[in-house]
């Protein structure tokens, strides 16, 4: 379980995260939604100890992420950032291999190679394993970084807009992979999405943020209703029931 | 999957071997071309110079690659950031504070170690914070480096002006080494420093590969980012001491050889790029010196030529990065 307690952060004198408390249960797919600048990336960055909070705690299975050794945390949780620095000459397979660093310290054993091959396959990028990053399209790059995070094989995954740049087919196959990771492998995933339908359809739970605060939390059925969406995004969306899931029609 | 990695490793190995071969050729040419008379005498004279150039080449190449990895920027070198200007300023400050004769009394080897220690303290205090604060902002980092270098140089200039002429003469002997007059007395201690640093760099290489991925990814996979970064800057600082003590500041050689190495090896692994850059630097220095001294017979200092070519490459890369 991830326990977040009273987490706040100031950036350039502005409070961008304000007293957020939240628990992420095991074996769940949590969808983090909210308008641009709401503080979603900041929250994920804090949970993954990439940023330092002004106040508050984060514990992952009881491990205080801001105090614990970095590699101990790296075996508990993996994070995919919204943007990544590209080393042009790196091959996809080498990049994915870095996901094994917390386990292998740079010396890949047979188990590491198995995990790398598996992650390449699951992120649907195995066919391009030998390509260099500068030779890839945006969506292919995104899948390569996803594969790296999957190869880290941690119980918790934090994914900041993992569907960025993915075409509908790749997005669906990625969501299926993530869904199976939760249901079959017992992982816990927190992911940021802007597509409310994706959150509604695949999420066990939706957590909504606005202006640095949590503003709504609950099952898709609770959150995907016009009044709540209006509160989160400040825009009217009509909601329809399709095959048991709630679907929004955003453009009016 | 593994099959994909092996040929690349082989290819990198092949290219490193080829580079090593060329470097050895340059070394042999330097020792033998135009040699007349007593071979023992010629070889011992040229051998010292050769050793000096090998040390300098390796130190400049490795420190540059380390530095570029820490700053994640392939246009920077320790000299562009003012590291060697700092070294000269520190030396001058010591003469300024304790007098040239006090300084000249100390064994040169010991003096070198003292300078290394000072460098470590100052760069440790300054650069870690600077890199952290200008995170990702190339222009700010570059500007800070240039300003810092200028500051060190004008401080040096000021102190030298205030020194009395005798002390200045002593100082000049100490700090104005050049390629043509390599500080041979310092070879043993500089060589020892290099030999101590290189295994540490080699051991650090896998962590450097991770560091290069960017701070977030590096921390994400569990690298103790700040510690590795500090250690890397410290190793680079020692290497700057080695090269600057032997031949004085060389601005652009590092940029030239590191970028050639990235290009030739097409690899992001430090165990490929570090030796490649070192071999290229050694070849450029020795080959250049052989050409200048023996073939062309021109009396232009090699450092000038290298800075000219390297500076051109720097401008070219800078313009290209602007366009992208
Ligand atoms: N490096 C930074 N320095 C200062 N302020 C920042 C920085 N990064 C983000 N912010 C500010 O923090 C606030 C929250 O940003 P954050 O990136 O967490 O938003 P987000 O919810 O992820 O938005 P998006 O949907 O656009 O990705 C914003 O107001 C943003 O301007
Ligand atoms: Mg974001």
């Amino acid at each position: 379980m991830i326990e977040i307690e009273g987490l706040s952060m100031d950036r350039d004198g502005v409070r961008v995260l304000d007293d957020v408390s939240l628990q992420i249960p095991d074996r769940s797919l949590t969808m983090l939604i909210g308008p641009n600048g709401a503080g979603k990336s900041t929250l994920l960055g804090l949970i993954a100890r990439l940023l330092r909070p002004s106040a508050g705690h984060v514990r992952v299975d009881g491990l205080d992420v801001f105090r614990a050794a970095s590699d101990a945390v790296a075996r508990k949780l993996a994070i995919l950032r919204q943007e990544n620095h590209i080393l042009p000459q790196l091959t996809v397979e080498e990049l994915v291999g870095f996901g094994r660093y917390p386990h292998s310290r740079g010396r890949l054993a047979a188990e590491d190679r198995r995990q790398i091959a598996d992650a390449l396959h699951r992120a649907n990028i195995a066919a391009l394993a030998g390509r260099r990053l500068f030779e890839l399209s945006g969506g292919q790059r995104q899948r390569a970084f996803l594969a790296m995070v999957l190869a880290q094989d941690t119980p918790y995954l934090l994914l900041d807009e993992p569907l960025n740049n993915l075409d509908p087919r790749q997005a669906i196959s990625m969501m299926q992979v993530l869904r199976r990771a939760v249901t079959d492998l017992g992982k816990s995933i927190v992911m940021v999405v802007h597509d409310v339908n994706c959150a509604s359809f695949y999420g066990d739970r939706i957590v909504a943020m606005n202006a640095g605060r949590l503003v709504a939390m609950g099952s898709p059925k609770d959150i995907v209703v016009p009044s709540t969406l209006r509160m989160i995004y400040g825009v009217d969306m009509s909601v329809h029931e399709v095959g048991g899931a709630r679907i929004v029609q955003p453009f009016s | 999957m593994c099959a994909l990695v092996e040929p690349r490793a082989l290819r990198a190995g092949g290219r490193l071997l080829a580079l090593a071969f060329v470097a050895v050729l340059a070394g042999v040419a330097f020792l033998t071309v135009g040699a007349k008379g007593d071979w023992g005498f010629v070889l011992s004279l040229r051998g010292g110079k050769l050793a000096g150039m090998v040390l300098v080449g390796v130190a400049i190449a490795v420190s540059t690659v380390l530095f570029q990895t820490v700053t994640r920027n392939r246009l920077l070198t320790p000299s562009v950031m003012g590291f060697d200007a700092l070294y000269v300023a520190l030396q001058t400050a010591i003469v300024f504070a304790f007098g040239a004769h006090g300084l000249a009394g100390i064994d040169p080897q010991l003096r070198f170690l003292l300078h290394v220690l000072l460098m470590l303290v100052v760069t440790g205090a300054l650069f870690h914070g600077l890199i952290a604060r200008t995170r990702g902002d190339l222009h700010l980092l570059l500007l800070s480096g240039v300003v810092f270098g200028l500051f060190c140089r004008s401080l040096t200039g000021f102190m030298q002006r205030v020194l009395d002429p005798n002390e200045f003469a002593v100082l000049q002997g100490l700090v104005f080494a050049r390629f043509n007059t390599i500080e041979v007395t310092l070879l043993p201690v500089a060589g020892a420093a290099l030999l101590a640093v290189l295994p540490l760099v080699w051991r650090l290489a896998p962590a450097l590969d991770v560091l290069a991925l960017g701070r977030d990814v590096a921390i994400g996979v569990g690298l103790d980012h700040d510690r590795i970064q500090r250690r890397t800057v410290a190793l680079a600082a020692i290497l700057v001491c080695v090269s600057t003590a032997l031949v004085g500041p060389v601005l652009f050689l590092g940029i030239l050889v590191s970028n050639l190495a990235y290009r030739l090896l097409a690899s992001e692994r430090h165990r490929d790029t570090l030796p490649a850059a070192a071999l290229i630097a050694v070849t450029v220095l020795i080959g250049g010196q052989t050409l200048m001294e023996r073939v062309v017979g021109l009396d232009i200092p090699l450092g000038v030529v290298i800075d000219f070519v390297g500076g051109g490459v720097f401008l070219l890369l800078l313009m290209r990065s602007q366009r992208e």
Side-chain angles (χ1 to χ4, degrees):
Chain A
M1 188 163 67
I2 302 181
E3 298 160 282
I4 301 160
E5 256 176 54
L7 206 58
S8 296
M9 184 179 181
D10 300 312
R11 287 183 132 168
D12 299 337
V14 181
R15 180 135 292 204
V16 295
L17 204 72
D18 195 10
D19 195 21
V20 168
S21 296
L22 177 68
Q23 300 198 335
I24 309 290
D26 286 348
R27 284 178 173 271
S28 65
L29 180 48
T30 302
M31 296 294 195
L32 189 55
I33 64 170
N36 292 142
K40 306 179 297 293
S41 299
T42 305
L43 178 58
L44 286 200
L46 282 166
I47 299 173
R49 48 94 176 77
L50 303 181
L51 302 169
R52 296 276 139 185
S54 315
H57 298 280
V58 176
R59 285 192 198 80
V60 179
D61 285 347
L63 200 69
D64 180 341
V65 297
F66 302 117
R67 297 254 174 88
S70 190
D71 56 343
V73 180
R75 286 188 291 269
K76 279 281 173 210
L77 63 81
I79 181 165
L80 173 75
R81 293 294 266 170
Q82 197 169 350
E83 268 152 24
N84 288 291
H85 173 74
I86 302 285
L87 280 182
Q89 301 287 352
L90 211 60
T91 65
V92 171
E93 188 174 29
E94 284 173 318
L95 177 74
V96 177
F98 285 118
R100 299 304 298 166
Y101 191 78
H103 310 277
S104 72
R105 301 257 133 223
R107 273 193 210 176
L108 300 179
E111 165 65 7
D112 298 311
R113 297 203 179 273
R114 198 188 62 69
Q115 291 274 2
I116 293 168
D118 184 48
L120 284 166
H121 178 70
R122 288 203 287 157
N124 218 350
I125 194 81
L128 302 178
R131 284 268 199 103
R132 294 170 196 276
L133 294 185
F134 79 95
E135 301 168 318
L136 298 183
S137 76
Q140 292 166 343
R141 260 180 219 169
Q142 181 76 1
R143 268 142 60 201
F145 276 96
L146 266 164
M148 177 179 79
V149 170
L150 292 176
Q152 208 171 322
D153 191 33
T154 51
Y156 299 93
L157 291 171
L158 309 174
L159 309 173
D160 200 342
E161 303 194 26
L163 304 182
N164 265 358
N165 291 320
L166 298 191
D167 68 40
R169 188 181 134 209
Q170 295 295 344
I172 290 170
S173 107
M174 182 55 58
M175 284 319 303
Q176 288 167 345
V177 165
L178 297 180
R179 192 63 257 178
R180 274 201 299 272
V182 173
T183 323
D184 302 347
L185 307 177
K187 310 268 179 194
S188 306
I189 300 177
V190 182
M191 66 176 271
V192 176
V193 270
H194 284 300
D195 181 354
V196 178
N197 288 335
C198 173
S200 172
F201 194 77
Y202 291 105
D204 295 318
R205 203 163 67 124
I206 298 180
V207 173
M209 294 184 69
N210 194 335
R213 293 168 176 274
L214 294 189
V215 293
M217 198 180 328
S219 70
K221 284 219 161 23
D222 300 331
I223 304 296
V224 185
V225 293
S227 59
T228 310
L229 291 175
R230 176 160 186 91
M231 178 188 66
I232 299 166
Y233 291 108
V235 66
D236 288 315
M237 304 188 212
S238 55
V239 174
H240 307 276
E241 191 104 13
V242 176
R246 297 207 174 184
I247 300 299
V248 303
Q249 183 185 0
F251 300 105
S252 47
Chain B
M1 288 308 122
C2 326
L4 281 167
V5 173
E6 260 65 82
R8 291 197 63 229
L10 269 183
R11 199 166 60 198
R15 285 177 193 182
L16 282 176
L17 265 182
L19 286 175
F21 180 70
V22 176
V24 169
L25 265 181
V28 172
F30 179 80
L31 287 178
T32 53
V33 170
K36 288 186 214 73
D38 183 3
W39 273 92
F41 175 71
V42 169
L43 286 185
S44 77
L45 188 73
R46 291 183 177 181
K49 247 180 145 176
L50 183 74
M53 283 192 286
V54 170
L55 291 187
V56 168
V58 173
I60 288 181
V62 173
S63 66
T64 303
V65 172
L66 292 181
F67 204 72
Q68 292 179 342
T69 297
V70 167
T71 56
R72 292 179 194 105
N73 189 307
R74 294 184 166 175
L75 292 176
L76 289 181
T77 66
S79 358
V80 171
M81 290 299 293
F83 264 49
D84 43 16
L86 171 67
Y87 181 78
V88 175
L90 285 176
Q91 278 184 312
T92 312
I94 292 179
V95 176
F96 190 74
F98 302 109
H101 295 289
L103 190 70
I106 309 174
D107 175 59
Q109 321 258 347
L110 199 66
R111 208 164 54 214
F112 173 79
L113 291 178
L114 209 80
H115 292 150
V116 170
L117 216 66
L118 261 177
M119 264 300 267
L120 282 176
V121 171
V122 178
T123 55
L126 282 183
F127 279 85
H128 190 65
L130 183 68
I131 291 167
R133 226 153 289 157
T134 58
R135 199 146 85 206
D137 189 342
L138 161 64
H139 296 104
L140 195 58
L141 192 63
L142 203 62
L143 193 68
S144 324
V146 169
V147 169
F148 179 72
L150 273 176
F151 174 73
C152 287
R153 273 175 216 113
S154 45
L155 196 68
T156 306
F158 170 75
M159 288 187 288
Q160 287 173 354
R161 246 156 239 137
V162 179
L163 284 178
D164 77 56
N166 290 329
E167 297 200 315
F168 182 67
V170 175
L171 180 70
Q172 221 172 8
L174 289 180
V175 301
F176 294 99
R178 288 285 175 269
F179 276 106
N180 305 28
T181 57
I182 288 177
E183 267 300 322
V184 195
T185 42
L186 288 181
L187 276 181
V189 70
L194 188 70
L195 283 181
V197 164
L198 287 183
L200 298 178
V201 173
W202 192 253
R203 264 202 7 223
L204 202 60
L208 291 170
D209 293 342
V210 178
L211 193 69
L213 294 168
R215 180 178 175 278
D216 287 355
V217 173
I219 295 179
V221 298
L223 194 77
D224 190 345
H225 178 269
D226 291 2
R227 209 182 72 208
I228 297 293
Q229 181 166 299
R230 256 196 302 272
R231 202 177 288 175
T232 312
V233 171
L235 292 174
I238 299 176
L239 293 169
V240 169
C241 294
V242 168
S243 73
T244 315
L246 292 176
V247 298
V250 186
L251 265 180
F252 291 117
L253 177 67
I255 280 189
L256 186 74
V257 300
S258 62
N259 283 284
L260 268 174
Y262 303 140
R263 201 71 35 115
L264 276 178
L265 269 279
S267 165
E268 305 284 356
R269 287 172 190 268
H270 284 80
R271 288 193 176 166
D272 293 340
T273 54
L274 283 167
L279 288 169
I280 295 171
V282 168
T283 307
V284 167
L285 285 183
I286 300 173
Q289 194 70 19
T290 312
L291 273 178
M292 301 302 276
E293 272 183 24
R294 315 269 151 67
V295 183
V296 188
L298 276 180
D299 209 20
I300 310 171
L302 181 62
V304 173
V305 178
I306 285 172
D307 273 347
F308 181 73
V309 176
V313 170
F314 175 68
L315 283 178
L316 212 79
L317 291 170
L318 198 63
M319 283 189 313
R320 268 202 8 196
S321 83
Q322 286 288 333
R323 245 183 297 144
E324 278 158 15

